[in-house]
């Protein structure tokens, strides 16, 4: 296995040059590209015309998705990078990106009992990712066939 690091020591130069802050190519490029294909096809229904993610996202989003999915060894199922941080300002599609990554995970997952969660400090913040994920599924007939969205309704009984 080649040596690699997630450190981005030249981050300032990269920012000024408009380059990606992902400092290396995906560890498993085929996995990265396969997942990116799913991710790009998801629809963002709260944007005018309901474009696909692939039609509207900046290239750095695709670099991030490649890094996430390209860190999993397809032969062993072992994820070599387990934690990712997306730190960008408010109203820059963090929740929509997280929703797309979650849906892509569900579609690429091979484990019969895998668990996928949206963890957030409040129900409102969790809903910021759940709602776009729900809408991405409902906007696609094929996804609606294989994924069942379960809305939770709180009640006082």
């Amino acid at each position: 296995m080649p040596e690699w690091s997630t450190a981005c020591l030249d981050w300032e130069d990269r920012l000024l040059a408009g380059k990606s802050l992902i400092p290396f190519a995906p560890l498993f490029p085929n996995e990265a590209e396969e997942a990116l294909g799913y991710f790009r096809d998801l629809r963002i229904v709260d944007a005018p015309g309901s474009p696909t993610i692939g039609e509207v996202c900046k290239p750095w989003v695709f670099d991030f998705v490649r890094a996430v999915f390209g860190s999993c060894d397809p032969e062993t199922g072992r994820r070599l990078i387990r934690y990712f941080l997306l730190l960008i300002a408010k109203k820059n599609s963090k929740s929509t990106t997280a929703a797309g990554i979650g849906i892509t995970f569900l579609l690429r997952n091979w484990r019969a009992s895998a668990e996928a969660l949206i963890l957030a400090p409040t129900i409102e913040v969790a809903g910021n990712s759940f709602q776009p994920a729900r809408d991405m599924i409902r906007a696609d007939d094929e996804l609606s066939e294989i994924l069942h969205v379960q809305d939770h309704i709180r009640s006082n009984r």
Side-chain angles (χ1 to χ4, degrees):
M1 177 68 62
E3 262 189 54
W4 48 270
S5 170
T6 60
C8 188
L9 302 176
D10 61 341
W11 64 268
E12 188 174 12
D13 294 334
R14 286 172 175 258
L15 278 176
L16 292 172
K19 292 183 178 177
S20 175
L21 292 178
I22 305 296
F24 57 89
L27 303 176
F28 302 96
N30 292 340
E31 287 296 301
E33 293 306 318
E34 183 78 23
L36 187 60
Y38 286 96
F39 182 81
R40 284 177 177 264
D41 288 343
L42 296 169
R43 292 216 167 267
I44 303 172
V45 302
D46 62 344
S50 297
T52 64
I53 289 177
E55 294 170 329
V56 297
C57 280
K58 299 284 187 190
W60 67 263
V61 174
F62 304 134
D63 291 342
F64 185 76
V65 171
R66 281 186 193 97
V68 170
F69 290 98
S71 69
C72 189
D73 184 337
E75 291 183 24
T76 65
R78 185 170 172 243
R79 185 165 297 284
L80 300 182
I81 303 172
R82 297 184 55 212
Y83 299 99
F84 296 87
L85 173 67
L86 180 59
L87 183 62
I88 55 177
K90 285 182 160 190
K91 303 299 177 195
N92 278 289
S93 297
K94 281 189 302 288
S95 298
T96 301
T97 299
I101 288 172
I103 297 296
T104 302
F105 170 79
L106 290 173
L107 297 172
R108 295 286 297 146
N109 177 55
W110 53 266
R111 293 177 45 214
S113 295
E115 186 174 46
L117 304 170
I118 295 174
L119 297 176
T122 65
I123 292 171
E124 179 184 356
V125 172
N128 290 344
S129 285
F130 172 77
Q131 291 159 0
R134 175 199 62 204
D135 295 343
M136 289 172 186
I137 293 167
R138 291 182 176 162
D140 185 301
D141 292 337
E142 193 175 340
L143 290 181
S144 293
E145 283 288 318
I146 60 174
L147 298 173
H148 173 71
V149 176
Q150 181 65 54
D151 287 302
H152 177 74
I153 300 169
R154 289 181 168 245
S155 63
N156 294 329
R157 289 189 185 213

